[in-house]
Every structure is written in structure tokens, then in C-alpha cells.
């Protein structure tokens, strides 16, 4: 009889200990309120501005920030200039359709073939709002990580040399993003 | 107590006042205070949120004639 009680007690305490260990692992690997992870899917100027304002603001609030650029976001990071040699015809066409240069980014609304974009740029200068170039260099100073989706680069035939220079830029895949995002308290998709 | 340094962030727009404020506070010693003036209307709620987020203390924050003056004390744990 006592043996049965002892056994059931020890198995109960064992299961409590197991649950505790499981909880501990969950808390340790859980999301960090001071980490921000972002997916930048869009390549339009207004969305990139919003993404970089949030990223730099978070970095200035002592958060660790990691941005993952994919699809049109990846193409938006192309710098101005000719295409690299050795591309296939389709890749070259992607290059023509998606010309590089941060100043070429369109607005997602009211772009009006560039008129809206120019008006916005003039207003931003007048009102002292930082432009995309300045925000990117601030992001760089604040150690914002920029990860670029390798798959979208190879899909659109974009090479590393065609991207803007950014010291903390890393080419990676979805697993890197998921690892970062699963540890971040906030994840945004822009 | 030494006189707190004054920084003028006028003319800067979001997110620049916060970016500059972070740099300023990083360079302070623990318990040291600084005073900043900004004219970005978002700065008043933002400086409060920034202090809460980073664990520094907002000693005072007053707005008048489109100018926001905030005094911030750097906490030792930040």
C-alpha cells in the first residue's frame, strides 16, 4: 500500500518537474520585448519610409532590429547603374523592369507617373522629414540588421554587387528570418 | 549638482528627435540629467514612451508656443 502511494507521489513529482523544465525552456527561448523583426515585402517609397522610420525609431529605443527584405523589397535595395554581365534574358528583363536607385522608388498611391513622388520629396525637404537615403544611413549607424532573401534575388537575377552598400547586410533564407522572428516580441509585415 | 546640458532638437522630424535623444542620453553618466527642446508635435508623447521603453526617467516635460522642453535623467541600469 505505502509503496503504491510512494510510487504515485514520485511519478506525480516527476511530471511536475518535467512540466517545469518545459516551461523554463519556453520562457528562455520566448519572445524578447526588446527585439523587432520586420518583413519588407513592398518596394514602394512610402512603405520603405514607414519601414525605416519604425526600424530606426526602434533602434533608438534600444531595441534590436532585424529587417528581412523579400520580393519587391529586395528589388528596392538595388543601386543605380548598369546590370551585371552574365544574366539570362528573363533576368535581364527583370532588371529593365525594376531599375535600381533609391530615388526611383514610386509611391504606392498618388505617384501620378512621378509627379506625386516629386511633390512628396519637395514637401519632405521643406518640412525637414528625413529621406530614404538618410534613414538607411541612420539604420546603419544604429546597427539595424538588413537580411535579404536570397531566393528573391536569384529569382529576379539580382546580384550582391547590384545592391546598395550596407555593412550589416546578409543574404539568407526563410529559416534565418523565422529564427529571428520567433525570438522577437514584435514582427511586422510591410 | 552640475548644470544640465541643453540640446536643441528644433526642426527635426520623426524619428530624428528620438534618434538624437538616444545618442545624447547614451553619452550621459548615470543619474546625470539633460534638457532637450524640440518642436516636433510628436515629441511630447514620444519622449514619454521612449523613457518608459528605455527605463530612463522623464523628470519634466512642458509644451508652450510649439516648443516642447523635456528633462531626462539617465538611470544607471540603462
Amino acid at each position: 500500500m505505502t509503496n503504491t502511494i510512494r510510487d504515485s507521489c514520485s511519478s506525480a513529482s516527476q511530471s511536475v518537474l518535467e512540466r517545469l523544465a518545459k516551461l523554463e525552456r519556453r520562457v528562455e527561448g520566448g519572445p524578447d520585448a526588446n527585439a523587432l523583426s520586420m518583413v519588407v515585402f513592398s518596394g514602394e517609397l512610402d512603405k520603405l519610409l514607414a519601414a525605416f522610420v519604425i526600424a530606426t525609431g526602434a533602434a533608438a529605443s534600444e531595441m534590436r532590429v532585424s529587417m528581412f527584405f523579400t520580393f519587391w523589397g529586395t528589388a528596392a535595395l538595388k543601386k543605380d547603374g548598369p546590370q551585371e554581365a552574365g544574366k539570362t534574358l528573363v533576368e535581364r528583363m527583370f532588371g529593365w523592369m525594376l531599375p535600381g536607385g533609391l530615388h526611383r522608388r514610386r509611391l504606392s498611391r498618388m505617384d501620378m507617373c512621378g509627379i506625386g513622388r516629386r511633390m512628396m520629396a519637395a514637401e519632405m525637404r521643406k518640412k525637414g522629414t528625413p529621406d530614404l537615403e538618410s534613414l538607411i544611413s541612420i539604420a546603419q549607424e544604429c546597427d539595424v540588421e538588413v537580411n535579404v532573401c536570397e531566393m528573391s534575388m536569384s529569382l529576379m537575377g539580382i546580384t550582391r554587387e547590384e545592391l546598395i552598400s550596407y555593412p550589416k547586410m546578409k543574404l539568407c533564407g526563410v529559416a534565418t528570418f523565422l529564427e529571428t522572428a520567433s525570438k522577437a516580441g514584435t514582427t511586422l509585415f510591410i | 549638482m552640475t548644470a544640465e546640458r541643453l540640446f536643441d532638437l528644433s526642426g527635426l522630424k520623426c524619428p530624428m528627435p528620438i534618434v538624437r535623444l538616444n545618442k545624447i542620453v547614451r553619452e550621459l553618466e548615470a543619474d546625470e540629467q539633460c534638457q532637450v527642446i524640440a518642436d516636433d508635435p510628436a515629441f511630447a508623447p514620444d519622449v514619454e514612451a521612449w523613457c518608459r521603453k528605455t527605463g530612463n526617467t522623464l523628470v519634466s516635460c512642458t509644451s508652450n508656443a510649439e516648443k516642447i522642453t523635456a528633462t531626462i535623467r539617465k538611470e544607471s541600469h540603462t
Side-chain angles (χ1 to χ4, degrees):
Chain A
M1 184 63 191
T2 38
N3 273 350
T4 327
I5 293 169
R6 199 185 299 138
D7 284 352
S8 74
C9 274
S10 99
S11 89
S13 70
Q14 189 65 32
S15 87
V16 167
L17 284 175
E18 272 168 21
R19 287 186 62 189
L20 259 177
K22 215 181 202 175
L23 272 171
E24 269 172 9
R25 275 199 300 276
R26 198 181 291 172
V27 170
E28 277 162 17
D32 178 354
N34 270 321
L36 169 67
S37 146
M38 296 170 95
V39 181
V40 185
F41 175 86
S42 316
E44 292 111 331
L45 178 66
D46 43 0
K47 297 189 186 184
L48 292 167
L49 283 171
F52 276 100
V53 167
I54 297 170
T56 52
S61 304
E62 302 291 347
M63 292 175 82
R64 277 181 305 286
V65 185
S66 178
M67 301 172 94
F68 181 65
F69 285 79
T70 185
F71 276 88
W72 315 118
T74 303
L77 292 180
K78 280 170 71 180
K79 62 185 176 200
D80 208 357
Q83 297 198 53
E84 289 277 302
K87 289 191 187 181
T88 65
L89 179 65
V90 177
E91 286 173 349
R92 204 146 276 281
M93 278 168 68
F94 263 117
W96 292 326
M97 298 300 287
L98 301 164
L102 296 173
H103 61 283
R104 286 213 180 85
R105 301 300 114 223
R106 293 180 191 142
L107 290 173
S108 67
R109 293 187 58 193
M110 305 201 303
D111 190 63
M112 299 175 290
C113 303
I115 300 168
R117 202 184 318 161
R118 259 171 249 140
M119 280 168 67
M120 180 74 88
E123 277 303 288
M124 283 169 68
R125 267 195 302 277
K126 201 168 93 187
K127 294 181 175 160
T129 315
D131 61 13
L132 189 55
E133 280 88 345
S134 339
L135 285 170
I136 294 178
S137 69
I138 294 157
Q140 204 167 296
E141 278 170 37
C142 302
D143 286 333
V144 169
E145 262 179 41
V146 167
N147 296 325
V148 185
C149 168
E150 210 282 319
M151 185 265 269
S152 53
M153 284 178 69
S154 67
L155 188 65
M156 293 183 270
I158 302 168
T159 65
R160 178 68 184 83
E161 291 68 38
E162 288 174 333
L163 296 180
I164 57 165
S165 78
Y166 189 95
K168 276 210 155 184
M169 186 186 278
K170 195 170 85 184
L171 308 188
C172 61
V174 71
T176 308
F177 160 71
L178 289 170
E179 193 208 2
T180 317
S182 63
K183 286 183 188 158
T186 309
T187 298
L188 304 174
F189 184 97
I190 296 179
Chain B
M1 201 178 85
T2 51
E4 57 209 28
R5 284 162 70 196
L6 178 71
F7 299 88
D8 190 1
L9 310 181
S10 301
L12 296 178
K13 289 279 152 41
C14 184
M16 295 317 292
I18 290 299
V19 170
R20 285 281 302 280
L21 176 65
N22 190 50
K23 276 190 192 158
I24 292 164
V25 175
R26 264 191 187 191
E27 278 163 23
L28 296 180
E29 303 288 326
D31 292 328
E32 202 183 339
Q33 294 193 171
C34 69
Q35 198 170 57
V36 291
I37 298 176
D39 57 5
D40 179 10
F43 190 68
D46 274 15
V47 71
E48 266 185 52
W50 182 88
C51 285
R52 274 196 303 270
K53 182 75 187 155
T54 57
N56 292 296
T57 305
L58 183 61
V59 180
S60 69
C61 183
T62 52
S63 340
N64 52 31
E66 292 171 14
K67 288 271 179 197
I68 296 143
T69 309
T71 307
I72 295 119
R73 185 175 64 238
K74 186 189 174 96
E75 295 299 334
S76 51
H77 55 81
T78 61

